[in-house]
Amino acid sequence: MTSAVEPTIDVQTRLRYLEDQVARLERMVRVSRMLSSTLDLEPLLQRIINIATDLVGTEAASILLEDERTGGLYFAAATGSEREELRRIQVPIEGSIAGTIFRTGQPLIIQDVHRDPRHYRGVDQSTHFETRAILGVPMRFKGRCIGVLEAVNKLGNTPFTQDDIHILSTLASQAAVAIENARLVGALQEANARLAELDRLKSDFISIASHELRTPLSLILGYATFLKEQSTGAFQEQLEMVLKGALQLQGLIEAMVNLRYLEAGIARLELSDVILQELVEEVCAEWRPMAEAQGLHLRQRVPKKPVRVRADRAKIALVLSNLLNNAVKFTPPGGRIEVTIRPQTGMVALSVADTGIGIPRDELDRIFDRFYQVESHLTRHHGGMGLGLSIAKGLVELHQGRIWAESVEGRGSRFTFTLPVSWEEAVQAREGK
Ligand code: ADP
């Protein structure tokens, strides 16, 4: 007789059990989504303990994380407590409940903490809460234990079960991933803030240095020029050296001032009609003696018909000059440097190509960043501050043009920039008028 009834009960119990499991899985999916949507560590920890009390059905919960400085654990969050107070509570790995869980990597149920000598009462005192029973599970990330999640006092004073261990362990492993993500984001934000601060300091330094150095330098230049004209022989040669050094310094300071103007957005263009062949000829004439002294062959490849653009003559000369400076610096003796002008539709492209040391492919974008140099400051053989290309980029973009580099390491580099033939049209196009 009973055999006909029993299977029905069995099926119903099983069905209820399955429904429970599905509901639990759904809850875990929701929890997982909730956890991964918070990247702020403090609110995240609070959220985890709220979820833990909810899922396991306890009065409270807490999270202890490893303190990498002391090697112990600290309370990172607990129900109903102030974070600052908790931070001060350090829990040793040896001789404590959480420490045991952390060390062994195994869950632990203590149904009556008063009978366990490992129970630490400090937290109860600071949270004005009485702990009676604890279920603790390890929080693991990539095989490493990062802390312990504890659920405290099961509601209705019932004992913790295997099911509770399972639920809390699942939550702990999801929480560990979320905590590590939040920590990584926090560390990244901190690093970014430090970088922004360094950037600000560099900018401040540039503006102070360029301003403060200019006046004494013009005095040195003035007097050295005067004295050189008045003197003869070896004395004149020595003064020539002083002048050369001072002019080099002036070049560096000018670069800093230019950069400051570009960065502050106060650089202005003085537009005029420029015939590019004349400009290229002029800048090449400046660099030819230096190039030839280094055994380099510098030549121009330009169209016969004059190519006119509307541009700031001095600024485009500076762009070309910076590119030629690099070509001369980074090309070994016997190499070739070629400057070309190529008219295209609506714009004109100017290139400086060399047969020099070249630039690694993955550095090609970064060389336009200010202060960026492929070779580090400490090991480099070439002079310079890593500002030439960033200034060139700023000046070209001020003209609504574009600048880029192509290079094969060990074979040479080509730097190209474009200028619109009608500058006003380019501005309008860019502003979408
Ligand atoms: P600087 O020349 O003062 O270091 P730049 O901003 O002009 O600064 O250039 C940045 C870096 O780009 C250089 O330090 C160098 O590593 C690389 N570079 C620029 N031009 C060339 C070139 N023609 N050949 C090889 N490397 C170059």
Side-chain angles (χ1 to χ4, degrees):
M1 287 292 282
T2 51
S3 58
V5 179
E6 263 173 15
T8 332
I9 293 173
D10 249 350
V11 168
Q12 275 178 354
T13 320
R14 195 146 175 73
L15 221 86
R16 216 171 300 130
Y17 175 76
L18 281 174
E19 275 170 7
D20 271 2
Q21 290 292 321
V22 170
R24 188 174 288 170
L25 272 175
E26 279 174 356
R27 220 161 17 160
M28 281 324 291
V29 171
R30 273 203 306 278
V31 164
S32 165
R33 272 206 205 112
M34 220 191 296
L35 291 185
S36 54
S37 67
T38 315
L39 285 171
D40 229 345
L41 189 59
E42 300 301 318
L44 174 70
L45 294 172
Q46 214 54 47
R47 194 172 271 190
I48 294 168
I49 55 172
N50 291 342
I51 295 171
T53 49
D54 247 27
L55 283 180
V56 186
T58 56
E59 289 175 12
S62 50
I63 294 173
L64 295 99
L65 293 178
E66 184 187 17
D67 187 333
E68 281 173 358
R69 268 178 318 117
T70 62
L73 297 170
Y74 67 92
F75 272 91
T79 317
S81 58
E82 290 297 323
R83 181 163 170 74
E84 287 313 311
E85 263 174 71
L86 281 174
R87 268 258 169 205
R88 282 194 285 274
I89 306 175
Q90 286 276 331
V91 178
I93 299 284
E94 296 298 331
S96 69
I97 295 174
T100 310
I101 299 164
F102 185 79
R103 208 163 17 86
T104 59
Q106 295 300 320
L108 197 62
I109 292 178
I110 313 285
Q111 302 288 18
D112 184 358
V113 294
H114 299 298
R115 292 180 184 210
D116 196 310
R118 293 172 299 184
H119 177 52
Y120 176 73
R121 269 165 248 284
V123 183
D124 283 1
Q125 279 155 17
S126 86
T127 56
H128 312 292
F129 179 85
E130 194 210 347
T131 302
R132 295 186 301 278
I134 290 179
L135 159 61
V137 296
M139 301 175 85
R140 265 199 227 93
F141 179 73
K142 288 192 177 162
R144 199 176 73 82
C145 198
I146 63 160
V148 173
L149 176 61
E150 290 183 341
V152 180
N153 301 349
K154 185 115 169 136
L155 293 176
N157 264 343
T158 50
F160 285 111
T161 62
Q162 284 301 315
D163 245 12
D164 295 333
I165 294 185
H166 182 69
I167 293 172
L168 202 64
S169 297
T170 313
L171 172 65
S173 53
Q174 293 190 355
V177 176
I179 289 173
E180 282 303 305
N181 281 345
R183 278 174 165 174
L184 275 178
V185 170
L188 207 67
Q189 280 167 345
E190 237 173 73
N192 273 340
R194 271 207 303 275
L195 277 180
E197 174 62 9
L198 276 178
D199 216 46
R200 197 187 58 75
L201 286 175
K202 249 180 184 175
S203 292
D204 285 358
F205 170 76
I206 288 175
S207 56
I208 293 169
S210 53
H211 186 253
E212 295 302 318
L213 293 177
R214 253 178 157 180
T215 321
L217 189 67
S218 48
L219 272 175
I220 295 173
L221 273 169
Y223 280 106
T225 314
F226 172 74
L227 286 172
K228 193 187 128 203
E229 277 163 14
Q230 303 294 312
S231 53
T232 51
F235 211 50
Q236 196 174 41
E237 272 170 35
Q238 284 158 2
L239 279 163
E240 177 63 37
M241 298 294 280
V242 173
L243 259 177
K244 217 171 139 197
L247 281 171
Q248 225 172 344
L249 258 183
Q250 194 184 38
L252 292 178
I253 293 168
E254 284 311 316
M256 293 204 267
V257 173
N258 274 320
L259 188 72
R260 185 159 64 100
Y261 285 172
L262 280 170
E263 279 187 347
I266 48 176
R268 293 279 166 266
L269 292 178
E270 283 176 30
L271 297 176
S272 64
D273 285 323
V274 179
I275 297 177
L276 286 176
Q277 282 92 335
E278 287 176 10
L279 186 77
V280 165
E281 175 58 39
E282 214 172 274
V283 182
C284 283
E286 259 175 51
W287 284 97
R288 189 158 285 113
M290 169 101 86
E292 283 172 359
Q294 277 183 223
L296 300 172
H297 183 62
L298 169 60
R299 70 170 196 146
Q300 291 144 243
R301 210 147 53 90
V302 300
K304 286 209 175 65
K305 201 167 148 231
V307 179
R308 288 169 208 276
V309 288
R310 198 132 171 94
D312 185 320
R313 199 170 208 285
K315 291 192 171 65
I316 296 306
L318 184 60
V319 173
L320 263 178
S321 191
N322 286 357
L323 297 182
L324 275 168
N325 182 2
N326 282 342
V328 170
K329 227 170 19 180
F330 296 106
T331 307
R336 289 185 316 278
I337 300 173
E338 191 172 80
V339 184
T340 38
I341 302 176
R342 264 175 299 123
Q344 294 167 349
T345 7
M347 62 174 163
V348 52
L350 287 98
S351 302
V352 176
D354 62 53
T355 56
I357 61 170
I359 302 157
R361 180 187 287 268
D362 55 345
E363 309 259 7
L364 278 177
D365 283 337
R366 301 171 69 190
I367 51 172
F368 292 97
D369 292 350
R370 59 201 186 118
F371 296 110
Y372 191 81
Q373 298 180 314
V374 173
E375 226 180 320
S376 98
H377 270 298
L378 300 175
T379 56
R380 59 191 276 115
H381 313 295
H382 313 279
M385 285 200 300
L387 291 181
L389 287 180
S390 62
I391 291 170
K393 184 168 188 271
L395 293 175
V396 168
E397 286 175 356
L398 212 58
H399 281 83
Q400 310 301 315
R402 226 164 55 77
I403 185 167
W404 67 95
E406 297 152 284
S407 183
V408 178
E409 232 185 318
R411 301 270 297 275
S413 316
R414 176 195 300 276
F415 285 82
T416 307
F417 66 96
T418 56
L419 292 173
V421 173
S422 160
W423 194 75
E424 285 85 352
E425 262 175 39
V427 177
Q428 284 175 2
R430 191 166 275 203
E431 289 173 358
K433 284 182 194 160

